């Protein structure tokens, strides 16, 4: 399969594509980019979902063929305690289950229709910007742990009238269900949706090994401990563990150890949005590199500030780690970027994984129109996140880079390569992308256009 290759016209426009950035000092520039390329990793986010159904074999094989350094996957647990690769644990928007349910009565009857239960937040209401007073839980009956298997509430997000992966065995998922596109699904090829079975964690590892042998390049894996509180709750209710245990993370570590990948040098990076999950894995002997992911909900492009509290359920879903909500911690992901927050992360992680809006300041300097409209953004500049992380020895891998126009700031004129070049120039160490070929092409341009910098150089970046 061919990569997306830059056209002759785009090559001709390279000088305009390399947009100038403001970096506070020459020392920051030198610190961010000490040598050409600075080992930028291209991470095939769910494989190559821009052209193939995500987290399927052809998606991962396409990512490897097109140059991905790592194959990224989200982990969830089946009814029979097996780890599978799916972006979401609910199934309507990333599998063909609705179509299957029309002709398979066994699938149809497993739809979860019981509503969740609201729980009061534990922190003081007078805390400024505290968000909603209540959040949803899947524990329908506080006296019956197995009642978690009735409602489909994931980290406070309501998916009533959908199906859960934890209601199916691995064999059932393999026999009945196929993966589909998810993000920008209406803009992406759909003819292969539902044609390829759901993969296990082990199968993705095996694909990485096969592609390493075929390409002659080391291709790693990048598994996520996804929705760990939900996955542990479901697993315990399904008999995969006892109350208070962590069958989900324990299974992740077991597979890593089985494949002799449990070392810093191994081609694997373990990720999670939830620090408690990563800390638990460390406490149980995880020795791989680890990345703490950070999310957000929206951006005020008049100020460039990331919005965490939306005063609705998304505050709990993307505004903070869900474990913080349960513990009564009112902080948001934004607190992780403070000096104290980064120092804390450095005690258990090697990399931070911010949403791309948290790494660069996206601005609508005209301050006209909708303040949340990315198409009105006419300025993108690096903030201090990369430099601050690097000073603590933390690398920075940012998500998610997509080619569709709805994800691109107006300043990029619908050219995704422009955005990638800005992030590479800012000193990013890795990018999660739905379009491996675009990120690889941008990396090639960047490495050919940037000269090595030393701490004594006064000049800015060399342009074409």
């Amino acid at each position: 399969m061919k990569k997306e290759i830059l056209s002759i016209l785009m090559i001709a426009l390279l000088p305009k594509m390399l947009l100038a950035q403001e970096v506070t000092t020459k020392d920051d520039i030198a610190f961010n980019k000490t040598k050409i390329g600075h080992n930028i990793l291209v991470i095939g986010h769910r494989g190559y979902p821009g052209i193939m159904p995500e987290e399927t074999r052809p998606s991962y094989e396409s990512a490897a063929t097109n140059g991905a350094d790592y194959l990224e996957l989200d982990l969830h647990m089946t009814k029979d305690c097996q780890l599978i690769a799916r972006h979401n644990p609910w199934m309507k928007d990333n599998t063909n289950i609705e179509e299957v349910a029309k002709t398979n009565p066994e699938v149809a009857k497993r739809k979860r229709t019981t509503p969740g239960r609201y729980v009061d937040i534990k922190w003081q209401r007078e805390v400024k910007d505290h968000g909603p007073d209540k959040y949803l839980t899947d524990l329908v009956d506080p006296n019956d742990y197995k009642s978690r298997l009735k409602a489909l509430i994931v980290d406070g997000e309501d998916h009533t009238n959908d199906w859960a992966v934890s209601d199916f065995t691995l064999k059932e998922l393999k026999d009945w269900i196929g993966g589909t596109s998810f993000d920008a699904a209406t803009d992406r090829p759909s003819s292969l949706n539902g044609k390829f079975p759901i993969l296990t964690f082990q199968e993705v590892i095996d694909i990485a090994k096969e592609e390493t042998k075929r390409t002659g390049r080391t291709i790693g894996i990048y598994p996520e401990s996804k929705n760990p509180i939900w996955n542990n709750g479901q697993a315990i209710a399904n008999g995969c563990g006892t109350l208070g245990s962590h069958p989900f993370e324990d299974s992740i570590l077991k597979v890593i150890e089985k494949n002799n990948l449990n070392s810093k040098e191994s081609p694997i990076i373990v990720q999670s949005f939830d620090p408690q999950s990563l800390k638990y894995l460390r406490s149980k002997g995880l020795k791989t590199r680890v990345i703490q992911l950070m999310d957000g909900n929206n951006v005020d492009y008049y100020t460039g500030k990331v919005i965490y509290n939306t005063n609705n359920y998304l505050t709990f879903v993307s505004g903070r780690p869900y474990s913080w909500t349960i513990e009564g911690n009112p902080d948001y992901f934004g607190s992780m970027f403070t000096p104290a927050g980064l120092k804390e992360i450095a005690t258990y992680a090697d990399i931070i994984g911010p949403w791309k809006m948290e790494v660069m300041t996206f601005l609508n300097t005209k301050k006209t129109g909708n303040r949340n409209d990315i198409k009105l953004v006419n300025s993108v500049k690096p903030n201090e996140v990369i430099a601050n992380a690097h000073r603590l020895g933390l690398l920075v891998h940012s998500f998610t880079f997509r080619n569709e126009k709805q994800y691109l700031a107006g300043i990029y004129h619908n050219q995704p390569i422009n955005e990638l070049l800005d992030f590479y120039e800012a000193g990013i160490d890795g990018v999660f992308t739905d379009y491996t070929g675009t990120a690889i092409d941008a990396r090639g341009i960047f490495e050919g256009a940037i000269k090595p910098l030393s701490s004594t150089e006064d000049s800015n970046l060399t342009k074409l």
Side-chain angles (χ1 to χ4, degrees):
M1 188 171 298
K2 295 181 179 179
K3 293 195 299 181
E4 318 105 57
I5 302 298
L6 290 172
S7 67
I8 295 174
L9 175 61
M10 290 178 70
I11 294 292
L13 292 174
L14 274 180
K16 295 181 181 179
M17 291 165 55
L18 289 166
L19 303 173
Q21 298 291 355
E22 283 187 15
V23 183
T24 53
T25 69
K26 65 182 182 182
D27 290 330
D28 281 341
I29 296 173
F31 200 89
N32 286 350
K33 300 177 287 293
T34 57
K35 61 180 180 178
I36 190 167
H38 59 273
N39 298 318
I40 300 170
L41 295 181
V42 172
I43 303 149
H45 182 242
R46 309 177 208 156
Y48 204 144
I51 60 172
M52 288 289 180
E54 64 180 37
E55 301 195 66
T56 61
R57 175 173 284 275
S59 185
Y60 287 118
E61 290 175 345
S62 297
T65 296
N66 282 275
D69 301 301
Y70 279 80
L71 306 180
E72 191 266 352
L73 66 155
D74 311 270
L75 293 175
H76 294 288
M77 186 165 268
T78 65
K79 184 177 183 178
D80 55 340
C81 320
Q82 303 300 306
L83 292 171
I84 60 166
R86 276 290 88 202
H87 175 56
N88 293 323
W90 57 89
M91 301 174 71
K92 278 202 298 190
D93 60 12
N94 66 113
T95 75
N96 63 341
I97 196 164
E98 276 194 296
E99 287 301 310
V100 172
K102 292 176 182 178
T103 57
N104 187 324
E106 183 60 35
V107 170
K109 75 180 185 181
R110 297 191 197 181
K111 180 188 287 187
R112 294 198 184 183
T113 58
T114 302
R117 179 174 61 91
Y118 278 98
V119 176
D120 289 337
I121 60 172
K122 294 181 180 179
W123 52 91
Q124 295 297 314
R125 302 313 194 269
E126 59 265 22
V127 173
K128 185 179 179 182
D129 195 36
H130 67 70
D133 288 339
K134 299 176 183 292
Y135 63 94
L136 275 171
T137 177
D138 61 353
L139 187 60
V140 177
D141 181 353
N143 299 313
D144 179 10
Y145 198 88
K146 288 193 174 184
S147 69
R148 291 184 184 278
L149 300 176
K150 296 179 180 179
L152 187 45
I153 309 297
V154 182
D155 294 2
E157 187 171 0
D158 190 353
H159 287 278
T160 304
N161 294 315
D162 204 334
W163 289 264
V165 297
S166 53
D167 287 337
F168 296 85
T169 65
L170 176 60
K171 185 178 187 305
E172 289 171 338
L173 290 171
K174 288 278 192 183
D175 289 348
W176 294 338
I177 309 299
T180 66
S181 300
F182 175 59
D183 292 292
T186 58
D187 298 321
R188 296 178 177 181
S190 59
S191 62
L192 296 177
N193 280 347
K195 303 296 185 185
F196 301 99
I198 288 172
L199 298 173
T200 64
F201 185 17
Q202 183 61 55
E203 285 173 324
V204 179
I205 293 173
D206 292 342
I207 290 170
K209 291 177 180 178
E210 292 164 10
E211 292 301 307
T212 293
K213 184 177 180 180
R214 182 182 68 82
T215 63
R217 298 183 300 108
T218 298
I219 298 171
I221 57 165
Y222 214 120
E224 179 180 350
S225 173
K226 188 74 172 285
N227 309 118
I229 290 175
W230 184 85
N231 270 297
N232 279 314
Q234 296 290 297
I236 292 169
N238 274 323
C240 302
T242 58
L243 282 175
S245 67
H246 293 251
F248 179 55
E249 288 99 339
D250 290 344
S251 295
I252 294 173
L253 184 56
K254 183 177 179 180
V255 174
I256 291 171
E257 290 177 332
K258 175 186 174 184
N259 286 273
N260 296 315
L261 291 171
N262 196 20
S263 70
K264 289 273 189 184
E265 297 72 35
S266 295
I268 179 174
I269 300 172
V270 177
Q271 55 174 329
S272 186
F273 285 100
D274 204 301
Q276 299 311 320
S277 184
L278 296 175
K279 290 177 180 179
Y280 175 82
L281 282 163
R282 283 290 196 221
S283 75
K284 293 300 178 179
L286 181 69
K287 298 180 178 66
T288 70
R289 285 167 293 167
V290 160
I291 177 172
Q292 172 64 62
L293 302 173
M294 297 101 140
D295 210 350
N297 275 309
N298 207 336
V299 181
D300 180 348
Y301 295 116
Y302 282 14
T303 64
K305 299 291 186 183
V306 173
I307 297 168
Y308 299 99
N309 175 22
T310 54
N311 285 312
N312 61 21
Y313 73 96
L314 290 173
T315 300
F316 305 114
V317 176
S318 303
R320 65 165 62 91
Y322 191 59
S323 64
W324 288 6
T325 292
I326 292 175
E327 294 166 358
N329 180 349
D331 289 338
Y332 298 107
F333 277 112
S335 67
M336 291 184 174
F337 296 102
T338 64
L342 288 173
K343 286 180 181 178
E344 167 66 15
I345 291 171
T347 64
Y348 62 88
D350 310 276
I351 312 166
I352 61 169
W355 182 30
K356 63 186 181 182
M357 304 302 187
E358 294 165 319
V359 174
M360 306 277 265
T361 301
F362 286 65
L363 286 170
N364 171 358
T365 62
K366 295 180 180 179
K367 297 186 178 180
T368 57
N370 185 338
R371 65 193 308 139
N372 304 123
D373 187 352
I374 196 170
K375 285 302 175 187
L376 300 178
V377 169
N378 61 352
S379 172
V380 179
K381 301 176 181 179
N383 57 32
E384 298 177 347
V385 168
I386 295 174
N388 288 345
H390 283 177
R391 288 190 177 94
L392 289 173
L394 293 165
L395 300 181
V396 184
H397 296 175
S398 192
F399 66 91
T400 301
F401 292 83
R402 300 183 169 108
N403 286 12
E404 290 81 15
K405 61 184 180 181
Q406 64 264 37
Y407 300 114
L408 297 168
I411 194 172
Y412 296 127
H413 306 293
N414 296 328
Q415 295 293 343
I417 214 160
N418 293 10
E419 178 183 52
L420 284 156
L421 287 169
D422 270 1
F423 276 78
Y424 292 171
E425 192 171 295
I428 205 78
D429 301 293
V431 293
F432 294 82
T433 177
D434 286 2
Y435 287 87
T436 299
T438 303
I440 292 292
D441 287 338
R443 186 171 70 180
I445 293 167
F446 173 77
E447 291 178 348
I450 305 294
K451 289 184 177 180
L453 289 172
S454 70
S455 60
T456 60
E457 285 184 313
D458 291 319
S459 61
N460 204 331
L461 303 179
T462 302
K463 306 291 183 182
L464 284 175

